[in-house]
Amino acid sequence: MTYTKGEVFRMNPVTITNYEIDGYKQSKISYTMIKQKVESNTLAIILPGIGYNVQRPLLHFTTNLFIQSKYDVLHINYNYLSSEVYKGLSDEEKVECIEQEVKKVIDTVLIEKQYKEYVLVTKSIGTIPISNELLTRNEFIDAKAIWLTPLLHNTLLFERMKQCHHPSLYVIGDQDPCYMKDRFNELAIKNNINCVLIDGADHSLEDPEVLASIDNLKVVFEELQTFLASK
């Protein structure tokens, strides 16, 4: 699911353009560029989860926060739930698929324009390709990373997160099946990572009680604003 050109971000005029390029094997990968009307030198790259798209609350408000902060925003809109190509892949091929497609989209965007600052925001499965980008792409040496409900049970991702030197905000709920206390605590002692554990929150950072879910969002965005303001 993508943002459309007709959407208006109140008090923050932007242009929204959707693209589609060749992806892994016979598949396609789409992405959306949201650009400030006044040229920006900062870019936020947002990768959703497989079933948690950019219009769900956590990523919708994250997008709005970056737009208000005068960032350009890139949404990478993989749609693996309905992809027959993706469904037929092995677990190893699925990692290869998403990493190749994310790399290709970022390559395409950065050929057009280089930015001075980058913030990478990832949700769930999006944490896997972004961990690779942080460790391999020169443009991201000084990037900030925001890890929302990372797949901490995935050993490949966990080892990459341990290697990352980038300033990072890591948010997960203690009712998330991907939460692993020992691994969370191991990451929490790293000086570059601010780890936030939300009581009662699931993999969507939601709670069975609606008002508690809203409180969770408030916690996330207070942490996010503090993290972005830090040097």
Side-chain angles (χ1 to χ4, degrees):
M1 189 175 293
T2 61
Y3 280 78
T4 65
K5 290 183 179 180
E7 284 196 66
V8 177
F9 292 88
R10 186 172 56 184
M11 306 300 292
N12 294 281
V14 295
T15 60
I16 303 172
T17 309
N18 297 315
Y19 300 90
E20 185 177 76
I21 59 175
D22 291 333
Y24 186 78
K25 297 186 176 179
Q26 290 79 40
S27 64
K28 297 285 186 179
I29 179 71
S30 65
Y31 64 96
T32 302
M33 278 299 304
I34 305 174
K35 290 189 174 182
Q36 301 286 337
K37 290 292 182 68
V38 177
E39 186 172 9
S40 174
N41 61 9
T42 54
L43 177 67
I45 300 174
I46 299 180
L47 274 71
I50 282 186
Y52 196 101
N53 63 50
V54 294
Q55 293 189 345
R56 296 283 296 274
L58 192 60
L59 298 182
H60 170 74
F61 290 119
T62 297
T63 298
N64 284 354
L65 176 62
F66 279 110
I67 290 171
Q68 290 171 10
S69 301
K70 306 305 180 185
Y71 282 72
D72 287 350
V73 178
L74 166 63
H75 289 160
I76 302 182
N77 304 311
Y78 36 75
N79 189 19
Y80 297 133
L81 284 180
S82 60
S83 170
E84 294 303 321
V85 172
Y86 186 80
K87 290 176 183 177
L89 300 177
S90 66
D91 289 345
E92 292 78 10
E93 288 173 325
K94 287 177 179 177
V95 171
E96 181 180 53
C97 170
I98 191 171
E99 289 191 343
Q100 285 189 14
E101 292 192 334
V102 167
K103 180 181 185 303
K104 188 169 184 180
V105 170
I106 295 175
D107 285 345
T108 301
V109 170
L110 297 191
I111 285 172
E112 179 181 336
K113 179 180 177 178
Q114 294 280 321
Y115 292 81
K116 290 184 179 179
E117 295 181 15
Y118 299 92
V119 180
L120 282 58
V121 184
T122 69
K123 173 77 174 74
S124 190
I125 197 172
T127 56
I128 293 178
I130 282 303
S131 66
N132 182 56
E133 289 290 320
L134 286 168
L135 292 174
T136 61
R137 188 178 291 273
N138 290 334
E139 292 93 336
F140 294 162
I141 288 176
D142 297 317
K144 289 185 173 182
I146 298 167
W147 313 80
L148 302 174
T149 67
L151 306 184
L152 203 55
H153 62 286
N154 182 290
T155 299
L156 172 65
L157 173 63
F158 176 62
E159 292 300 325
R160 287 176 176 176
M161 290 182 73
K162 289 198 297 182
Q163 294 177 50
C164 280
H165 67 275
H166 306 76
S168 296
L169 174 64
Y170 163 28
V171 184
I172 197 167
D174 66 0
Q175 297 304 305
D176 187 334
C178 297
Y179 170 64
M180 298 180 67
K181 183 177 180 179
D182 290 347
R183 290 187 172 186
F184 178 91
N185 290 339
E186 189 170 345
L187 291 172
I189 64 175
K190 287 174 58 67
N191 292 331
N192 64 303
I193 300 181
N194 178 23
C195 291
V196 179
L197 182 64
I198 300 181
D199 292 342
D202 62 15
H203 193 57
S204 297
L205 292 178
E206 295 181 1
D207 188 278
E209 296 294 330
V210 172
L211 292 181
S213 294
I214 294 171
D215 288 341
N216 290 348
L217 283 175
K218 184 177 180 181
V219 169
V220 171
F221 286 100
E222 286 175 346
E223 293 285 350
L224 184 53
Q225 287 181 304
T226 300
F227 174 70
L228 292 175
S230 65
K231 299 298 182 182

